[in-house]
Every structure is written in structure tokens, then in C-alpha cells.
Amino acid sequence: MGIIMTGITIALSKGRIFDETAPLLKAAGVIALDDPEKSRKLILATNRPDVSLIIVRASDVPTYVQYGAADIGIAGKDVLLEHDGTGLYQPLDLNIARCRMMVAVRDDFDYEAAVRQGARLRVATKYLHTAQEHFAEKSMHVDLIKLYGSMELAPLVGLADAIVDLVSSGHTLKANHLKAVEEIMPVSARLIVNQAALKVKREVIQPMLAAFSEAAKKNGMPRQKWIHNDGNMLL
Ligand code: PRT
Ligand code: MG
């Protein structure tokens, strides 16, 4: 018999992903021994000696899992669509960290008219791949500008006509005098698994997936309808 490797590593980001994953982990019998918001540790031990957590940037999660540095990862659909998925299984929609990928413009910008007139728009986004696909599908010619954050600023200072960004409460758009004009897709966090790990460590990973799946169902309530509030869209 070969070496039995039973320990597993789960990659996730701190902030909303960690906060919303913690109850799912708990349902799978895993409790972190440190709070990533308070601790500076990047490897967190858990109550289970065979499970550890690593804290990485949200957009780095698929990379750790793809190369097998983590066996399991939790990442937004937004992040996964920007990543080349080789070597990853994406078996589970966790129904957490839900939001929508939207096109947004300044309050005073007539997006529909610009689209009708076939104007060539400048669009700032962190999500080049998703934006590229969306506008290609609409046969719109756009110039994409890559940003790494604070996309909401771009239309305000004349860097772009529109942005592609995530919206949850709609408060950030509103605070910056922007409006959502198009939904690209609903987004939620997914559990991904390294393909090789799933084979080699099936005995540990499989029950964990089952527990996650069961717990995630409870988050699977129908999405609330959009509420239009002063022309501001909320989830
Ligand atoms: O911060 P960092 O650059 O490391 O990465 P990140 O910003 O991608 O990480 P994080 O932790 O902020 O988000 C992790 C994941 O949470 C994302 O990949 C999404 O899948 C998911 N998620 C859910 C969100 C939101 N909701 C969300 N509202 N991610 C970001 N936002 C931002 C949005 O970009 C916008 O700036 O929140 C702002 C809008 O929020 P509202 O409530 O004002 O509409
Ligand atoms: Mg962030």
C-alpha cells in the first residue's frame, strides 16, 4: 500500500466569503481555531487535525486549487469565469456571497440611446473576460479598460462611459451617482475541487462535499426580486 494522505486544505478569502462559509464549514464539522480578521496567520488550523484552511486573495483561490496547493476552494462565479478552469471540478453552488454582475453608468448617461446609436463605449472593469463575452453577444463594440478595483470611480472622472461590476445592495452605485442598466448574470460562490485530490483523497473530500451540499441547500431560497427604489436597484 502507498502512503495514505488524508489531510486536506481548503482555500478561501477573508471577508464575506469566509464569513458566509463559516456556517457551512461548521455544518461539515469544521471550525477554524483563529479568526482571519484578527489573526495574521495565513494557514489556519481547525478543530479537525485533518483539515486546514488557507487564506488567499479571492482571485487567487482557483490558482491554489488548480495546482493542488489546496484541495478545495471557495470562490465567486465572477472569479472562476475569469480563470482558466483546467484541473478543477466545480461541483457545488454554495448559494452564498450572492450578488449580480451588472453594467452601470452615470445617472445622467443615456445608455439605451448610446446602444441604439451604435456608439463605441469605453467600459472599465476587473472582469475583462465576462465583459468581453457580454458585449460580443450583444454585438456591441466596446473598448475595455482593465481596473483592479473601485470601478465606480471610472465614469465619474471620465475614464469610462460604463463599468461592469458586482452589485449587491446597490448602495455603492447610488452613493456614486451611478445606475445599473443591464444585468449580465447572477453570481454566487462555488466550491471547487482539485481533480487529482478528489481521486486520491476521496474518503475525506466526499463526505465534506455532501455536508456542504446539504447545508448549502438551506441558502438556496428563491432570490428576492429586484426592488426599484428611486431608480436604484436592490437585491
Ligand atoms: O478585495 P480583493 O481585491 O482581495 O478581492 P475581492 O474584492 O474580489 O474580494 P471580496 O472579498 O470583496 O469579494 C469576494 C467575492 O464576494 C467576490 O468574488 C464575489 O463573488 C462576492 N461578492 C458578493 C461581492 C459582492 N457581493 C459585492 N458587492 N464582491 C464584491 N462586491 C463589491 C462590488 O464590487 C462593489 O464595489 O461591493 C460593492 C457593491 O456592493 P453594494 O452592496 O454597495 O451594491
Ligand atoms: Mg474587495
Side-chain angles (χ1 to χ4, degrees):
M1 235 167 57
I3 301 165
I4 303 168
M5 292 187 297
T6 47
I8 60 162
T9 301
I10 304 175
L12 73 183
S13 52
K14 59 183 181 183
R16 75 188 96 214
I17 296 275
F18 183 87
D19 296 345
E20 297 190 36
T21 302
L24 300 177
L25 282 169
K26 200 174 167 201
V30 177
I31 297 164
L33 298 183
D34 282 295
D35 175 353
E37 299 300 338
K38 294 187 187 130
S39 166
R40 287 171 191 272
K41 284 183 191 166
L42 297 175
I43 302 179
L44 305 182
T46 73
N47 61 319
R48 277 178 49 175
D50 60 337
V51 181
S52 51
L53 309 178
I54 61 173
I55 304 297
V56 305
R57 278 293 285 269
S59 46
D60 289 335
V61 166
T63 306
Y64 279 86
V65 178
Q66 180 169 27
Y67 287 95
D71 303 295
I72 291 176
I74 291 151
K77 184 180 179 187
D78 52 315
V79 165
L80 294 170
L81 288 176
E82 296 296 313
H83 189 89
D84 159 33
T86 335
L88 295 175
Y89 277 128
Q90 190 184 313
L92 215 54
D93 182 351
L94 297 176
N95 281 311
I96 58 169
R98 286 158 71 161
C99 56
R100 287 167 193 268
M101 183 77 76
M102 309 281 302
V103 180
V105 297
R106 275 166 61 140
D107 275 345
D108 57 5
F109 185 81
D110 191 343
Y111 179 73
E112 316 239 294
V115 173
R116 261 198 321 274
Q117 290 157 16
R120 191 175 182 111
L121 297 182
R122 285 213 296 191
V123 181
T125 188
K126 181 165 146 183
Y127 306 103
L128 284 186
H129 186 75
T130 301
Q132 151 90 43
E133 288 222 326
H134 173 72
F135 292 110
E137 228 164 69
K138 297 192 62 176
S139 304
M140 277 173 68
H141 292 286
V142 297
D143 293 312
L144 294 175
I145 300 174
K146 167 81 180 179
L147 288 179
Y148 292 88
S150 301
M151 272 83 82
E152 293 89 353
L153 182 61
L156 305 181
V157 295
L159 179 63
D161 305 299
I163 59 172
V164 167
D165 194 8
L166 301 173
V167 179
S168 44
S169 69
H171 293 148
T172 308
L173 291 184
K174 194 169 186 186
N176 291 293
H177 308 288
L178 302 173
K179 60 183 177 188
V181 288
E182 225 161 51
E183 176 176 333
I184 299 181
M185 64 186 166
V187 167
S188 55
R190 310 295 158 112
L191 187 147
I192 54 174
V193 184
N194 176 274
Q195 280 178 2
L198 188 56
K199 289 193 195 110
V200 180
K201 304 181 183 179
R202 188 173 278 277
E203 277 138 71
V204 191
I205 291 177
Q206 205 64 59
M208 195 136 220
L209 292 184
F212 264 91
S213 167
E214 199 49 44
K217 271 189 206 150
K218 299 193 181 108
N219 297 321
M221 309 294 218
R223 219 166 246 283
Q224 274 179 268
K225 292 240 164 63
W226 286 98
I227 300 159
H228 293 259
N229 173 15
D230 311 330
N232 184 37
M233 293 197 263
L234 304 173
L235 269 188

